[in-house]
Amino acid sequence: MKIAFVGKGGSGKTTLSSLFIRHLAAAGAPVVAVDADINQHLGAALGLADAQAAALPAMGERLPLIKDYLRGTNPRIASTQTMIKTTPPGEGSRLLRVCEHNPVYDACARPVELDGGTVRLMVTGPFTESDLGVACYHSKTGAVELFLNHLVDGPDEYVVVDMTAGSDSFASGMFTRFDITFLVAEPTRKGVSVYRQYQEYARDFGVVLKVVGNKVQGQDDLDFLRAEVGDDLLVTVGHSDWVRSMEKGRPSRFEFLEDASHLALRRLRTAVDATYELRDWERYTRQMAHFHLKNARSWGNERTGADLAAQIDPGFVLGESVTAPGSNSPLMPTA
């Protein structure tokens, strides 16, 4: 199951995504966590020291390796130089599973020990001084989009992505790559503005969107959120001494998180698991093709010198029944 956490800067989406990752790990579920935010804070929120977080390998810097592995023997892709962030899989492509060993995880993922379990953490990498004026952050998140496009995940497997703030996700098709999107909103006008943008953009693409109210202090805050987002409000979260200690780098064991927060996290997982019955792999594959064609026409064909529309395999549908040739690597045992 693929889950995105989005929201305006400062809304608490990284904190809440890290809590949800801890919740899943404590329950023994296999988890791949991805920090796709321009401000790379997920590692620290999961308890890594600053030096450890800074040493995490950047997916964006390993894009050639990622492309080379995912390309496999797909005859529609002439070379890795013609692969762009939206390139979809087809016959012969290598696919990724949550619970396996593969060169992409070897190069980009690192294990993070949490209370009760271990998760794989991958990061896009920070926006560096050398990028200023010459690159956009979407060139880095392209590695995440390729990862998601080639991922075959099942029930009780979780990929949690801490997305970049605001509505930047709509600069590509990545906002359609998730089973459910949790929008973290504070009970303020600015807090719900990103929700309105997401609701408008996502309406035509079948995106399952639920609001998590954060920093809710009383009935007035709750009433405000209900009035602004209606039935999309799934759960609210208030002040947490445990979270405050975590943000200071001194968290206690996760079991000591306040009961109200544990209850909220259980409701998030229930909402995630319920979306499995709504999965439509054919629509998911069509959306990949849709955004690939848009990117090909707007810049991809010119940049690569190739007709990228030819990369779309009309007979291929991604799904749990699909097996990639040569993908016989041993599965990683679940916790």
Side-chain angles (χ1 to χ4, degrees), residues 79 126 253:
S79 69
R253 289 189 60 80

Side-chain angles (χ1 to χ4, degrees), residues 12-269:
K13 66 180 182 60
T14 297
T15 297
L16 283 168
S17 61
S18 72
L19 290 177
F20 189 57
I21 291 165
R22 289 175 183 271
H23 170 75
L24 295 172
V31 181
V32 176
V34 182
D35 192 346
D37 194 355
I38 191 170
N39 298 307
Q40 301 268 279
H41 296 312
L42 184 58
L46 292 174
L48 296 184
D50 290 344
Q52 292 174 307
L56 292 169
M59 295 179 71
E61 294 176 1
R62 289 152 180 81
L63 192 52
L65 179 149
I66 295 172
K67 289 180 177 180
D68 185 62
Y69 180 74
L70 297 180
R71 178 189 172 209
T73 60
N74 187 335
R76 294 177 176 273
I77 304 175
S79 69
T80 56
Q81 285 70 36
T82 63
M83 291 182 73
I84 62 174
K85 62 182 181 179
T86 55
T87 295
E91 187 68 31
S93 296
R94 289 194 181 98
L95 305 178
L96 302 168
R97 307 279 175 163
V98 172
C99 297
E100 70 172 4
H101 298 292
N102 61 55
V104 174
Y105 289 147
D106 290 343
C108 302
R110 294 296 179 265
V112 177
E113 300 286 342
L114 299 172
D115 295 351
T118 302
V119 303
R120 279 175 165 148
L121 173 62
M122 299 197 294
V123 302
T124 57
F127 202 68
T128 64
E129 185 175 347
S130 63
D131 295 319
L132 296 177
V134 297
C136 73
Y137 194 66
H138 306 297
S139 64
K140 296 180 180 292
T141 58
V144 180
E145 190 163 358
L146 272 174
F147 167 74
L148 294 172
N149 279 355
H150 291 75
L151 178 70
V152 179
D153 57 310
D156 301 317
E157 299 176 333
Y158 301 89
V159 177
V160 182
V161 182
D162 181 19
M163 298 283 279
T164 192
S167 57
D168 283 356
S169 305
F170 295 103
S172 73
M174 194 157 69
F175 74 98
T176 66
R177 303 297 84 199
F178 302 99
D179 293 289
I180 190 168
T181 295
F182 291 130
L183 191 143
V184 181
E186 300 170 84
T188 64
R189 290 173 63 187
K190 288 184 178 180
V192 299
S193 64
V194 176
Y195 161 77
R196 294 196 184 96
Q197 289 177 306
Y198 250 86
Q199 185 187 44
E200 178 182 353
Y201 294 146
R203 184 180 297 118
D204 295 333
F205 291 94
V207 173
V208 178
L209 180 66
K210 293 297 179 182
V211 175
V212 181
N214 194 27
K215 306 176 186 178
V216 174
Q217 298 181 5
Q219 189 64 42
D220 185 63
D221 287 347
L222 180 59
D223 291 343
F224 174 83
L225 285 172
R226 282 176 173 163
E228 294 293 327
V229 307
D231 293 339
D232 284 340
L233 181 63
L234 177 65
V235 70
T236 62
V237 181
H239 173 79
S240 167
D241 290 333
W242 191 97
V243 169
R244 181 61 60 88
S245 296
M246 180 268 289
E247 291 174 340
K248 293 177 180 178
R250 302 193 298 265
S252 58
R253 289 189 60 80
F254 185 65
E255 63 188 281
F256 297 125
L257 179 72
E258 292 85 352
D259 289 343
S261 295
H262 275 299
L263 177 60
L265 295 172
R266 287 196 293 271
R267 292 189 64 184
L268 294 187
R269 183 173 182 181

